[in-house]
Amino acid sequence: MLNKRAKTATILAALVIVISSLNSTTAAAQTDAHQTSEPQPKVKTLHPPPAPTEAKIIENEAVIRFKEKSLPPKKAMEDRENVLRRAGKEFAQKFVAEVIATYPWFGWIRLKLSHGDSFTSVANALKSDTRVQYVLPNYEVTLHGHHRYPPTPNDRAWTEHFPAVYPAPYPNYSYLWGLDKIGMEEAWRVRPDGLVIAAVLDTGIDENHPDLSANNHGGSDICGSSSTPTDFDGHGTYVASILASQGNNWVPNPTTQPESFLGVNPAAKILTVKISCPVPNIIDAISGVRYAIQKGAAVINGSWGLYGLPATHPYIVDLKDEIVAGRNTTLYVASAGNEARDLDKCYKPTMWPQMFNLKNLIVVAATTPYDTLLVVTPRIGPNPCSPTNNNFEGSNFGKKTVHLGAPGDTIWGALLTSQFGSSGNPMEDTVLVTSSTSAAAPFVAGCATLLQAEKRAKLPTSRLSPSQLKSILMKWGDRRPKLAKIMSGSRLNCHSALLKVP
């Protein structure tokens, strides 16, 4: 079982997934202070590579953007698509390349180059093409999770989680402590669920997972490489399960119990937006934001970031424009990242969209059961801003850039069904446990969908604007002294926020 998990973690690391881990010393200290009758789990730490210091180019790809005057108007999208497809065939033959996808709204043609042809040669060859605005490489975005731990089967369902079994402050990090911490037991009495669309902009989801299939609202593999946005990585499935695992569907089974989880909004409509073709990349991410907004997503969860490009880069301008396009309809929830740095002061390398200052963007830090920022290894040395400075991990923060905290320490979620184990221990075979800001963001995204559902219940023709959602979430969190390094100084309290929906 552990070998299988370790192999999967290696694959995730190869995709430049930036992840965080639980400090075994801290866990031991908490065990001493809060003993229980059950043994503490022995956590094995796997050390991932640090965050990239500059944007990571995806090898053998070229993105060609046509000038608007070379394309039909955007109201004639089918005609634009046809023009780009014909040009794509032309370029594919000219450069012995393959067209990965065309993106008619943006005028992009994305090419997979043969090893015998370089990006530079393609760019040089198209300098004199009057149709072409630019030729640029594609860049990999970095998922903000996740660190895997061997799961410990100390709970089976939500009903076994309560303080009668695990007295606060949860010395065993009992498996749904995050839901309890943000007041969901009380929140569900106000608004038990809500049919609100939440887009998960990630690696896809496991559409066959018993805890996610009922809430699957469809979606798209943005580059069109497959007919369904299936998750082969696990990150998107894990994030979606925190946001919207189906409730009240647990069916005890002697071999598997994948229905044991419960999301913040157990009935949210999960719109899957797969931006991983073949790895998470900025071209699919930009297009994915547009797709989610067009499909009516009230909330977008983005547990990733793009590192190292300047604010003036065409891709960063496009990403910002697409998020801003949802300023009246869609709240974008971003994970803060796991380098344990102050994003206000340590602005190199840049990270997007986290460093945008937008009214419909909320950036989420990861917190512990003790309402502190998740810090596994503190920064030391002469340069506290360098992502390669010694060995450290933990939640990013910033009074101007990071808005709210949410549980992100030892969070249990859904494992891909294709990765289920065979030990015979139901929880160990079907669960994924991580510590990361990737886990924190969907707590906020799920709560935002409940706030929107509550508003619609009060007045069906009305909705909360993204800036209203952001304000309520930040204002009515639980203020904690040790969270003073983030803008609100608070950790999410979904119950308090629901009570303040006008």
Side-chain angles (χ1 to χ4, degrees):
M1 174 65 186
L2 292 181
N3 288 338
K4 188 172 184 178
R5 297 284 171 82
K7 290 178 181 178
T8 305
T10 301
I11 294 172
L12 295 176
L15 296 178
V16 201
I17 295 174
V18 178
I19 56 183
S20 54
S21 60
L22 178 64
N23 186 302
S24 57
T25 303
T26 303
Q30 292 170 355
T31 302
D32 293 339
H34 306 281
Q35 289 290 339
T36 67
S37 60
E38 295 193 16
Q40 293 292 312
K42 295 181 179 180
V43 177
K44 180 180 179 181
T45 300
L46 305 174
H47 296 288
T53 57
E54 58 184 19
K56 183 179 180 182
I57 292 175
I58 298 176
E59 293 184 1
N60 301 316
E61 281 199 21
V63 178
I64 302 163
R65 182 162 192 167
F66 268 34
K67 297 174 181 176
E68 279 300 311
K69 66 180 182 181
S70 300
L71 291 168
K74 289 183 176 179
K75 62 183 179 181
M77 201 58 64
E78 186 175 345
D79 293 338
R80 288 171 70 94
E81 176 72 21
N82 290 334
V83 169
L84 292 173
R85 284 180 177 174
R86 287 195 297 269
K89 289 181 180 179
E90 172 193 336
F91 296 148
Q93 291 177 350
K94 183 174 183 177
F95 301 115
V96 194
E98 175 188 346
V99 178
I100 297 175
T102 56
Y103 304 76
W105 180 271
F106 300 98
W108 286 329
I109 301 169
R110 186 174 164 202
L111 294 181
K112 176 71 173 178
L113 306 179
S114 65
H115 291 287
D117 212 341
S118 69
F119 168 81
T120 302
S121 64
V122 173
N124 289 337
L126 293 178
K127 278 184 178 179
S128 59
D129 193 319
T130 58
R131 299 169 296 175
V132 175
Q133 180 176 340
Y134 61 67
V135 182
L136 290 172
N138 193 8
Y139 296 91
E140 188 171 335
V141 302
T142 300
L143 303 176
H144 283 154
H146 41 252
H147 195 109
R148 292 170 166 269
Y149 302 134
T152 53
N154 59 356
D155 288 68
R156 289 289 199 270
W158 169 253
T159 54
E160 298 178 22
H161 162 80
F162 289 103
V165 180
Y166 295 101
Y170 317 107
N172 273 355
Y173 289 93
S174 55
Y175 99 86
L176 294 180
W177 76 265
L179 293 174
D180 205 15
K181 193 71 174 179
I182 66 172
M184 291 314 303
E185 181 185 4
E186 297 83 5
W188 287 324
R189 295 191 184 116
V190 178
R191 177 55 46 196
D193 52 37
L195 300 176
V196 175
I197 299 174
V200 177
L201 201 69
D202 215 293
T203 61
I205 68 164
D206 184 346
E207 62 269 20
N208 296 317
H209 195 287
D211 241 349
L212 295 174
S213 57
N215 294 346
N216 185 2
H217 192 61
S220 175
D221 183 337
I222 291 300
C223 84
S225 61
S226 64
S227 57
T228 58
T230 303
D231 186 8
F232 299 106
D233 174 277
H235 188 268
T237 295
Y238 173 76
V239 166
S241 72
I242 297 169
L243 195 162
S245 284
Q246 185 183 358
N248 300 313
N249 66 330
W250 186 52
V251 181
N253 184 291
T255 56
T256 61
Q257 294 175 341
E259 308 91 353
S260 295
F261 302 106
L262 182 60
V264 176
N265 183 349
K269 297 179 181 180
I270 305 171
L271 180 70
T272 307
V273 186
K274 184 175 180 178
I275 62 170
S276 187
C277 176
V279 296
N281 67 89
I282 189 59
I283 290 295
D284 286 343
I286 295 167
S287 189
V289 173
R290 167 160 288 273
Y291 172 84
I293 293 172
Q294 286 180 329
K295 291 295 182 180
V299 178
I300 296 175
N301 189 97
S303 289
W304 53 267
L306 176 64
Y307 291 74
L309 291 183
T312 55
H313 191 284
Y315 293 160
I316 304 307
V317 173
D318 284 338
L319 178 61
K320 184 175 182 178
D321 287 347
E322 294 309 314
I323 295 175
V324 169
R327 61 189 177 277
N328 296 323
T329 60
T330 309
L331 178 67
Y332 191 106
V333 182
S335 53
N338 307 319
E339 301 90 66
R341 60 175 171 143
D342 185 341
L343 296 184
D344 294 352
K345 300 175 182 177
C346 305
Y347 50 86
K348 291 183 179 180
T350 56
M351 181 168 55
W352 312 105
Q354 287 75 8
M355 290 181 175
F356 292 144
N357 181 19
L358 303 176
K359 292 182 179 180
N360 63 323
L361 170 70
I362 186 168
V363 182
V364 184
T367 60
T368 72
Y370 302 92
D371 284 332
T372 61
L373 286 171
L374 174 66
V375 177
V376 179
T377 307
R379 285 177 170 274
I380 56 176
N383 186 359
C385 289
S386 172
T388 57
N389 180 34
N390 300 307
N391 178 31
F392 63 85
E393 294 170 348
S395 177
N396 289 339
F397 53 92
K399 290 185 177 181
K400 297 179 181 179
T401 47
V402 180
H403 302 95
L404 183 63
D409 186 0
T410 316
I411 302 299
W412 293 55
L415 185 67
L416 289 177
T417 54
S418 62
Q419 296 175 358
F420 280 2
S422 56
S423 71
N425 187 317
M427 290 306 295
E428 180 174 346
D429 288 344
T430 64
V431 73
L432 173 63
V433 187
T434 86
S435 293
S436 64
T437 57
S438 269
F443 280 100
V444 175
C447 183
T449 64
L450 285 179
L451 298 185
Q452 197 65 272
E454 176 69 2
K455 179 64 174 179
R456 292 179 182 180
K458 290 183 174 182
L459 187 61
T461 59
S462 181
R463 67 170 62 196
L464 294 168
S465 69
S467 59
Q468 286 177 307
L469 283 172
K470 179 178 178 179
S471 176
I472 293 172
L473 290 165
M474 291 177 63
K475 186 175 181 180
W476 299 106
D478 290 335
R479 292 188 66 83
R480 295 292 183 261
K482 293 184 179 180
L483 298 180
K485 293 181 179 180
I486 61 178
M487 187 180 295
S488 66
S490 301
R491 184 255 308 133
L492 172 69
N493 185 319
C494 198
H495 176 233
S496 296
L498 272 170
L499 295 177
K500 299 303 178 180
V501 173

